[in-house]
Structure formats: structure tokens, C-alpha cells
Amino acid sequence: MTLLLAGCGTTPAGGSADKSLILATTTSTQDSGLLDELLPVFTRDSGWQVKTVAVGSGQAIEMGRRGEADVLLVHSPAAEEKFVAEGSAGPRRLVMHNDFVLLGPKADPAEIRGTGSTEAMKKIAAAEAVFVSRGDESGTHTKEQGLWSKAGATPGGSWYQSTGQGMGATLRVASEKAGYTLSDRATYLTQRDTLALEVLSEGDAGLLNVYHVIEITKKAGDRVRPDGGKAFADWIVAPPAQRLIGEFGRAKFGQPLFTPDAGADESKLGQ
């Protein structure tokens, strides 16, 4: 497990040194650079300092379950819904989405270029082409497992390799091994110039990647700062933060890396 701990700025004028909250989030929000854009503005606006723990969504949810985080920003919907149903979480709100992409080497030995995700996974398994998985119970790993299931394939053997690490590290391993992998588009785009990987399958409705913010309550533990969690959750779904999300990446990549969705009908995303 890789923990990326990051503070955010200094205490602003009028702020209090004890106004500190813990955000457990996915490595994709960290590796894409989105948090570097958002958190200083949140601290400036609210006075709350943010300590970030960037792990897979499954591990972030476990932190919330143990009362080791005040708010979550995650992208594993089924696991999120199960966690909220347990009763220790507060509101779960839609924040944004982007999509997953299947990546591989230019040579494309499994010949998946231009195919849908289900057919691509069948071809990779049939060819026993190297596939590099995060293997870390993250939202990306959960999505990958769902794709194998839809394809009726059971990955294993020497061709299926697990890093147990975040998205950035997994991309580097896949590139080095000339293998296939599943990535959120944002992390791939921010690292594309350093990788020998191309987008080979994209655009499926099944590749949608949706993020929610979840507040944690005192029911999870006495250390939880629900006031801090609520402050962050309220801020990230409000129009100013949503505008920042919608512009992030546009100047560098010619397209935003995330689509802001606060208040949208989740059933219609990606349509």
C-alpha cells in the first residue's frame, strides 16, 4: 500500500492551527494534479488545512470506516453504497466524472485497438498478453475486475501481473513491460509523454468513472472532524469549485480532465 501524505499551504490569516482535516482519496486525484489545483483554494476560502492520504478507493473507504479520515473523495460506487448503508458515513454526493481507458503498446499484440472493452478483455486473455493490474482494491481495480467478469475471462498465470500500487506507478510498470492496463484518463494524460502506451479501447458506457464525496460522522470514531468533512464536501460541490474542476487540464491538454457533475442526474452521465 502506498500512502501519499500531503499538507496544503499554511494557516491563512484569521485561520486556526487546529482547523485541520484528513481527506482520504484516490491516487488518481493526486497523480492527475487535481488536488494541487483545488486544495490551496479550499484552504484559502475556508481556513481548513487538509492532510491528504492518497490510496485506492477501497483503502480510503476502510479509513473512513475506522474513523481515520474526515471526508472521502472516491470512485468505487458499489463499495461506497455499501459503506454508506452501514451507517457511519454522512451524505454521499456526486462530484465529477471522467472515464477509464484501456492502454497498451503500439504493437498491440492482442489486437484490441478500436474494440469495445468487453471484446478487448477477451482478446487479451485469449492471447495471454501481459496485463498489469493495480491489484489494490481501488476503484480502478474494481472496474477492471468487472470488465474481466463481463468478458467471461479469468485472468491469471504469468501474463497477469499485479503491482499493488497506485495508478502512476502501475502505468510506469505497464510501459516498461510493454503490457496492457486500465487507467483513468486523467492520470494517463498527465503522464503520457513519459509512457510507451497508447489508448487502444475507449468510449464504452462501461468505462465511465464517477467520483463522489462522502462525509464521515462521529459514529466512525471520536477522532472524526465532521465539521471539517462537511466544509470540504460543501465546498467541492459548490459552483466555484465545480468551475475549477471543469477547467482543470484544458489549457495543457486541450480538454478538461474531469467533468463537474454536482447536482446532476447520475443515471444520465455519459449520455
Side-chain angles (χ1 to χ4, degrees), residues 34 37-38 41-42 235 239-249:
L34 179 65
E37 182 82 12
L38 295 183
V41 182
F42 168 67
W235 181 86
Q242 290 283 292
R243 285 194 292 271
L244 288 175
I245 291 169
E247 288 299 317
F248 177 70

Side-chain angles (χ1 to χ4, degrees), residues 79-153:
E80 295 166 24
E81 290 171 0
K82 179 182 177 182
F83 171 53
V84 170
E86 293 169 5
S88 61
R92 170 180 177 262
R93 289 182 269 180
L94 178 63
V95 176
M96 61 190 182
H97 78 273
N98 61 6
D99 63 344
F100 291 104
V101 289
L102 276 164
L103 307 169
K106 184 177 182 179
D108 188 20
E111 299 181 346
I112 72 166
R113 189 184 302 274
T115 64
S117 60
T118 300
E119 181 65 19
M121 299 304 260
K122 287 179 181 178
K123 286 189 166 192
I124 291 169
E128 295 191 352
V130 173
F131 188 96
V132 181
S133 170
R134 283 180 57 167
D136 62 351
E137 299 183 2
S138 61
T140 304
H141 182 215
T142 300
K143 173 64 71 171
E144 177 216 315
Q145 291 175 310
L147 292 176
W148 290 122
S149 179
K150 287 180 182 178

Side-chain angles (χ1 to χ4, degrees), residues 225-244:
R225 296 290 304 268
D227 51 344
K230 184 177 188 305
F232 179 81
D234 287 348
W235 181 86
I236 201 168
V237 300
Q242 290 283 292
R243 285 194 292 271
L244 288 175

Side-chain angles (χ1 to χ4, degrees), residues 52 61 131:
T52 303
I61 289 170
F131 188 96

